[in-house]
Amino acid sequence: MIEQLLNYDIYNGKTIGDYLSLEFIVGVAGSIIGALLIVFVGIFLAGWAGRRIRNIGHRHEALDDTLFNFLGNIIRYVILGFTLLIVLNTFGIQTTSIVAVIGAAGLAIGLALQGTLSNVAAGVMIILFRPFKIGDFVEVAGISGTVKDISLNFTELANVSNIQVIVPNSQVWGNIITNYSTNQTRRAEWIFGVSYGADLKAAEEAIRTTIMADPRSLTDPAPFIQVNNLGDFSVDFLVRVWVPSSEYFAYQADMKRAVKEALDAAGVDIPFPTQTLINSEA
């Protein structure tokens, strides 16, 4: 009875006795140990290679950390994928059919997740072409803010009120991107109006002295301060001054107040629209 059971054919000419033989058990144990070693080595190599790629971006300031973080993750997953295929081959599993099944499943999933995949594709384009990086102040999809994170699916911004804003990458890459941090300098611009009876030379001198006294004002390119328009109520000075990009917003606001106070101190009137009411009963 036992002999008949051991000689029972299970699969492909193999009997129960074959599967219980010492040779088979040793072979299976060897395959398991080999697979565990391959998994250990694969995980180690994947982590090591990913860290090495990411550290390249961290060590050199001229390189973008976001790009090298992305490349590090890609290398890590590629190594893990090859490790899985090697482990399956260790047990004699034909990986060709598995790859075909995964490909078909990937196509079906891709069709079902077209919107998500469009975000991923846009995320790859953003990371590769780098129209902005973490820390830049940008305007994307009509939203302005500082870039806090760039992932494959979305870009995270902190707006001027420090509120988190999540923008899908497809909306970022598919729209106009304005990066205010790319260039080191920006041009600030104001229009200051003075009354028609004011001393224009004194007004110009007050404006120029006040603005150029600020250490944030750049002399190269040279500032532009000229009468630009004769309005209904005022003579308008157009003022253009270059300033470091990081100082732009505070500088723009500070100069408005400083110039107003300087014109007042110089006795230069700043006009405003007036309306004369006539009493028809008089």
Side-chain angles (χ1 to χ4, degrees), residues 114-124 151-154 168-171:
Q114 292 184 28
T116 301
L117 290 179
S118 66
N119 287 330
V120 172
V124 171
S151 69
L152 287 178
N153 288 301
F154 60 84
N169 282 335
S170 59
Q171 295 187 27

Side-chain angles (χ1 to χ4, degrees), residues 208-267:
R208 184 180 301 275
T209 300
T210 301
I211 289 180
M212 299 314 297
D214 192 292
R216 295 170 293 184
S217 302
L218 302 178
T219 57
D220 186 21
F224 178 89
I225 304 174
Q226 295 289 343
V227 172
N228 181 63
N229 181 55
L230 301 177
D232 293 336
F233 303 97
S234 63
V235 178
D236 298 327
F237 282 89
L238 174 62
V239 180
R240 292 172 174 165
V241 183
W242 291 86
V243 63
S245 297
S246 59
E247 303 285 351
Y248 175 81
F249 290 103
Y251 175 82
Q252 182 93 352
D254 291 344
M255 289 301 98
K256 290 179 181 178
R257 176 170 181 169
V259 169
K260 167 64 168 64
E261 293 174 347
L263 291 176
D264 289 344

Side-chain angles (χ1 to χ4, degrees), residues 11 14 16 39 53 56 67 73 76 78 95 143 173 175 200 205 213 219 247 263:
Y11 174 74
K14 295 287 186 179
I16 295 178
V39 169
I53 296 297
I56 292 175
L67 175 61
N73 289 330
R76 177 171 174 268
V78 168
T95 56
I143 300 171
W173 188 251
N175 286 280
L200 297 184
E205 183 63 25
T219 57
E247 303 285 351
L263 291 176

